[in-house]
Each structure stands twice: as structure tokens, then as C-alpha cells.
Amino acid sequence: MTRTVYVNGEYLPEHEATVSIFDRGFLMADGVYEVTSVLDGKLIDFDGHYARLERSLGELDMANPTTHEDLLEVHRELVRANGIEEGMVYLQVTRGNPGDRDFAFPPEDTAQTLVLFTQSKPGLANSPAAKTGIKVISIEDQRWARRDIKTVQLLAPSLGKMAAKRAGADDAWMVEDGHVTEGTSNNAYIVKDGAIITRGLSNDILHGITRAAVLRFAAEAQMQVVERLFTIDEAKEADEAFVTSASTFVMPVVSIDGAAIGTGEPGPVAKRLREIYLEESMKAAI
Ligand code: PLP
């Protein structure tokens, strides 16, 4: 089946969808994105992703080319047209095509680019990786200073994932000034003596939509949550570690730089949080 994608108001077969070579997303990474997961054909936390999209756009003085209602409709139509039961909807907004290359922002009436496509991932909720846990390595955080904005500048995370792959691991945790910032495409947590520890929100990390939900569910389940800095050495001594993201939900981490975390198997806190997250999110899915 040919995938149907959305480009600037049109639903098209993917091979007919095009964006200009002058698009500022292509030339300057002048764009923001969101990834919303789909379970049981429904969108998980669409409102959270929409709110973060608005914030990312605002932080970059970029207009919002769409509305909550229209965007929800496009998401649902793509999920329907592509028969997505489990997977993701990717959305990208750029400052558009000014017709040439120039560092200055284009005139405000320049049409922006809005692109959405789906990715089918059967078995996402029941992922085998969640049963075994993943291995991470630590790397220097080489990204810019506004990681709270979800821009399409993904070269540093991409290099990080490749370094992990070459080391026989699944992902990398990034470290700055001796402290873990986050994973290449997820937020990072450790568990020590029952307390869930994760870095607090600032410009240093992406404000994960899954993070917000998981911390809320953890508090509701009377689990202790501490938002503070932690080091890789502290993480290696932790009882458990895990990451969260829209596409992996809650994913246990079982080794860091080759050192087993806790028993070397997914821990009870990560397992429980994954169960609660999936159950609650599916109840609230739209
Ligand atoms: N941190 C980074 C750097 C990310 O790229 C992502 C997701 O892509 C996350 C955290 C997790 O965010 P969310 O839970 O909203 O998917």
C-alpha cells in the first residue's frame, strides 16, 4: 500500500509529495517537529504534543500555520488512510521557502511548510526491547543551548545513536559538566532506594510529553520523584534506570557503558511505570 502523506493542505501518495530546495527546514534546520504515538488506532496525548508545538514555534518567533482542530483532523485522517493501528504520526513545521538562501527571516507572509506522515510500528506496545531492556553508552552532549525547543537539528543525536550502535549498544545518554542531560531521543531516569530521579526542566533538555505524564502517574501511585542532576557514576550504582519518549513509552535501561544496572534485568519500578503509562494513556487516547 502506498503511504498517504500530508503536505501544505494536500493528502498525497508519498512519491508525489515535494518540498522546495530553498525550504529553510532543509537549508538551515529552521523547523520544529512533533511525534505522536498511535495505539489501537488512537492518538496518545495529542493535546500535550500540540501545546509543545505551540511553545517551540513561539520560542523561535515562527507563526503557527495551523490550529488544534485542523491538526487533529489531519492526524486522524492520516491514521485512517494508512490503516495505522500502532505507530507514529510525525509532524514538521518550517519557516517555509523564501525563494533563495538568506540568513534573515523571510517576510512574514512567506508560506510556511507543514508536513505530516505516519510510520506503522506493529507491536509497539508489546515491544520485545521492553522485556529485555536496552543498553546505553555515555557520550558528551554536543548540542546547542536551547534543547527545550524541539527543532529538526538532529545531527548530534544521530551521531550519538551511531556511536552507540558501533559500541554494540542501543542508545546513548548525553553528559554535560559531569551530569546526564538526557538520551539522544528520550528523557533519562535512575531509581535509587525507591526514588525516581530525573533531571529537572530547563533549557538543557527537551520537556518530554511522556516525561510529564509518567511523573504525574508516578506521583499518583505514591512513588517518590526527585528532580535533580545525577552523574553517570551515580547511574551505574543505581538500582534501576530507564528512559521515556513518545515512541518507546517507558523503556528499561539494563547497562551503562557495559556496567550492569541493578540485577542487569528490567527493574520493578520501570516495569510498573510502563504498565501504568500504557493503561492510562490508552484510556485517554483520542
Ligand atoms: N529528549 C529528546 C532529546 C527527544 O528527542 C525526545 C523525543 O523525541 C524526548 C526527550 C522525549 O520526548 P517525548 O516524551 O515528548 O517524546
Side-chain angles (χ1 to χ4, degrees):
M1 188 171 89
T2 306
R3 178 164 45 173
T4 299
V5 303
Y6 177 93
V7 186
N8 297 327
E10 284 188 283
Y11 293 97
L12 298 167
E14 63 180 71
H15 58 272
E16 286 178 26
T18 57
V19 172
S20 165
I21 63 160
F22 297 116
D23 194 278
R24 286 180 61 96
F26 176 60
L27 294 180
M28 299 189 177
D30 189 1
V32 299
Y33 75 108
E34 281 297 330
V35 177
T36 303
S37 59
V38 177
L39 289 177
D40 219 1
K42 289 187 183 156
L43 300 163
I44 304 295
D45 220 337
F46 177 82
D47 288 351
H49 289 283
Y50 185 78
R52 186 172 60 191
L53 173 67
E54 281 199 307
R55 179 178 183 278
S56 294
L57 291 167
E59 292 298 304
L60 295 175
D61 283 331
M62 211 186 285
N64 183 352
T66 182
T67 62
H68 181 281
E69 192 186 346
D70 287 352
L71 207 54
L72 178 56
E73 174 54 32
V74 177
H75 275 71
R76 284 180 163 158
E77 178 52 24
L78 286 181
V79 167
R80 192 203 59 74
N82 294 305
I84 306 295
E85 277 301 311
E86 291 192 30
M88 272 93 79
V89 182
Y90 175 91
L91 140 80
Q92 181 169 331
V93 179
T94 80
R95 215 179 298 269
N97 159 26
D100 203 350
R101 181 175 182 272
D102 188 352
F103 280 86
F105 288 178
E108 283 196 354
D109 58 357
T110 304
Q112 289 175 263
T113 303
L114 173 61
V115 168
L116 286 94
F117 58 82
T118 53
Q119 292 184 297
S120 180
K121 304 269 177 196
L124 192 64
N126 234 333
S127 144
K131 297 189 178 68
T132 57
I134 61 166
K135 298 178 189 160
V136 305
I137 59 165
S138 61
I139 57 170
E140 259 317 295
D141 198 330
Q142 302 192 72
R143 298 171 302 160
W144 76 327
R146 290 303 306 274
R147 302 158 193 157
D148 56 311
I149 309 173
K150 197 165 168 67
T151 76
V152 296
Q153 307 176 48
L154 295 177
L155 190 52
S158 171
L159 290 170
K161 296 245 189 222
M162 289 311 295
K165 204 171 167 180
R166 277 194 295 274
D170 304 292
D171 203 352
W173 278 14
M174 297 178 285
V175 177
E176 184 172 62
D177 298 332
H179 295 110
V180 175
T181 51
E182 56 191 330
T184 59
S185 60
N186 42 60
N187 290 114
Y189 308 74
I190 56 174
V191 180
K192 189 71 184 175
D193 299 328
I196 299 162
I197 300 159
T198 193
R199 192 177 178 113
L201 296 181
S202 70
N203 292 353
D204 299 338
I205 61 167
L206 188 73
H207 302 186
I209 301 305
T210 319
R211 176 188 186 280
V214 164
L215 294 190
R216 195 175 65 244
F217 297 142
E220 283 168 12
Q222 318 297 328
M223 295 174 172
Q224 191 194 351
V225 175
V226 183
E227 294 181 67
R228 66 160 172 85
L229 301 177
F230 62 91
T231 65
I232 278 288
D233 283 342
E234 190 182 356
K236 287 179 188 165
E237 297 299 315
D239 302 327
E240 289 185 42
F242 63 93
V243 294
T244 64
S245 76
S247 49
T248 60
F249 315 120
V250 177
M251 181 62 69
V253 169
V254 292
S255 85
I256 302 176
D257 292 333
I261 307 306
T263 61
E265 308 248 308
V269 174
K271 278 202 229 165
R272 181 78 193 111
L273 282 175
R274 184 178 173 91
E275 275 167 20
I276 300 175
Y277 178 80
L278 285 171
E279 196 180 312
E280 294 299 321
S281 303
M282 283 171 83
K283 265 195 242 160
I286 57 172

